[in-house]
Amino acid sequence: MTDTQGHPAQPPDRLPSGSLCLVTGATGYIGGRLVPELLKAGHRVRCLARTPEKLRDHPWAGQAETVRGDVTDAGSLAAALRDVDVAYYLVHALGSGHDFEETDRRAARTFAEQARAAGVRRIVYLGGLVPRGVPERDLSPHLRSRAEVGRILLDSGVPTTVLRAAVIIGSGSASFEMLRYLTERLPVMVTPSWVRTRIQPIGVRDVLRYLVGSATMPADVSRGFDIGGPEVLTYLDMMRRYAEIDGLRRRLIVPVPVLTPRLSSHWIGLVTPVPRSIARPLAESLKYEVVCDEHDIADWVPDPPGTPITFDEALSLALQKVRDAQVDTRWSSASVPGTPSDPLPTDPHWAGGSLYTDVRERTVDAPPQALWRVVEGIGGENGWYSFPLAWAVRGWLDRLIGGVGLRRGRRDATLLRIGDSLDFWRVEEIERGRLLRLRAEMRLPGLAWLEMYAEHDDQGRTRYRQRALFHPRGLAGHAYWWSVSPFHALVFGGMARNIARTAEAAAGGPTPGAKS
């Protein structure tokens, strides 16, 4: 039975709440926020992750099942999809290299084949809003790949929901952080012509609502849906609205036609925390007008009063989350620091080539808890407790060569969890109250880690132990270590000394300047 527009009057065969949902990309920005929403809706959740340990410290970790696997590995997918009702496909290879389109294609085909073989009842995919009237071959690689993945999943033989969104506004999203840093840091901007392109942004809350609602769509619905907020704006409008909501002076913005997407990506990479590898495909996509052609999703996932939320509401909510240090997930959460075969510095007798180390120890006249609070609060606004100019220069050099630099900051002002990005490091391991291990994500001719321990010595006193490790690659790696080693006493020695002093001051009085 259908209505006059051909939509089901009473959609049949809806999947009930309580279905088993597989979430791929649970370590990423959207996936990490979707899991608790699915749990809240009464579904059971299984997460697929290459590194399940990254999900260990999430508040919902004890309520969801986590399995190790990869969307390009048919064997691990088959096991993960067993008994699954709804499979969420929330992964993409953006920023992973020049061949990301082929990686996306291969992963989508593998996922489609395994979902069909497992008898999955629905696939849900979050893709990109495609500009009307532009042939797919003429799209940016980013949008072209998103469109192709959607088509592969729709052709899988499994009922599929493809949600197509443009710019997603939410605390921690790459789009929000681009907008935020461009507007805050540049009161006068010479900008690419794409700032006048029309875009239909959407708040992350509405994206999550549509994703959760898609789980119970009837079996005879298999199609794509445009999703967007209630307003169509230009990027210029969005920057000016951001300045107004954040209480900044009106920005002077001068669009010029000579800034290509490649040049734009360099500009975005220098000004914002988004690295050039991600900034370029995003900038290439912004030259297209992306406006919803329909709002059919409301026929199956009805909009409650006051939704979709406006751009200003989405922006205000995101800014409040940032100010309250309650950012649940960030775009940088999805970055992968290395491969499983990389050597780990925890091996008691490491073998596999040179491993340079710099070890510093200090006795601290403070309880271990006070020392740990300083350790876990490192980075971001608190800095790195030694020679701030050296850290800033290293961050700028990293940005200049396409690295992430220092601007990613922290997700939370006081708490860290495995997988968090922390300036140009990644939290690889955390033993609450004892160990913080960071893995370097700056551009280096090798692999590097920084470990910080809050321990007791053999006399029962609090001891701070710090270990920097570097595994060089080739002659350039050895040359790099020896060229920077003369500065280690200043940087690493000062860091250990100031962390100890800050913990002592916090335990017995006012904290001195952490960045001194």
Side-chain angles (χ1 to χ4, degrees), residues 293-308:
D293 281 335
E294 41 82 14
H295 189 54
D296 294 350
I297 186 70
D299 292 336
W300 286 277
V301 187
D303 295 321
T307 59

Side-chain angles (χ1 to χ4, degrees), residues 139-215:
L139 294 174
S140 69
H142 171 222
L143 285 179
R144 186 169 61 233
S145 180
R146 292 294 185 93
E148 183 183 21
V149 167
R151 192 169 58 253
I152 290 170
L153 297 176
L154 283 167
D155 292 342
S156 65
V158 178
T160 297
T161 303
V162 173
L163 301 177
R164 298 182 291 250
V167 170
I168 296 175
I169 301 297
S171 59
S173 75
S175 297
F176 170 75
E177 294 207 1
M178 271 179 57
L179 177 66
R180 174 187 170 200
Y181 279 85
L182 287 174
T183 309
E184 288 182 354
R185 292 178 182 271
L186 298 175
V188 179
M189 284 179 268
V190 176
T191 61
S193 56
W194 50 250
V195 295
R196 295 196 184 280
T197 302
R198 298 198 320 150
I199 303 165
Q200 192 164 351
I202 183 171
V204 68
R205 290 192 178 191
D206 284 315
V207 173
L208 294 171
R209 182 169 58 82
Y210 291 137
L211 284 167
V212 173
S214 295

Side-chain angles (χ1 to χ4, degrees), residues 17 37 118 164 196 221 256 265 368 371 378 384 392 443:
S17 61
E37 295 300 318
R164 298 182 291 250
R196 295 196 184 280
V221 176
V256 295
S265 67
L371 174 59
I378 200 164
W384 292 87
R443 294 294 181 93

